[in-house]
Amino acid sequence: MPIYEYQCNVCGARQARRRALSDTSPPRCTGCGSGDLVRLVSVFSVVASCRDRTRDVSWIDRDLASRLERKAGGKLSQDLAASLERMKSC
Ligand SMILES: [Zn+2]
């Protein structure tokens, strides 16, 4: 069961939820109870050395963050944005 990360548009609280793929009901904020949550694109694991990642970095460009946001339909989490910046600087 995947874990999704959400941010509340009312109180700003970030929260992770384990949800079945079939669960399409809108989650509610654990902080304020609002149903106005946006799903964040979260960090993923990359099993590769920095050298391996830099062999072909053409897919890591300054537009990658916005492309990921469009594909996922949400904002990047701060952790993922920081990971992308680290990958660009290898
Ligand atoms: Zn809230």
Side-chain angles (χ1 to χ4, degrees), residues 44-63:
F44 51 87
S45 295
V46 175
V47 181
S49 69
C50 189
R51 172 178 266 174
D52 288 340
R53 289 192 309 253
T54 57
R55 283 189 186 144
D56 179 17
V57 294
S58 60
W59 61 277
I60 304 172
D61 55 39
R62 66 181 173 195
D63 296 327

Side-chain angles (χ1 to χ4, degrees), residues 7-13 15 28-37:
Q7 183 165 19
C8 179
N9 284 327
V10 175
C11 72
Q15 48 221 265
R28 301 206 72 83
C29 177
T30 56
C32 71
S34 169
D36 188 8
L37 301 180

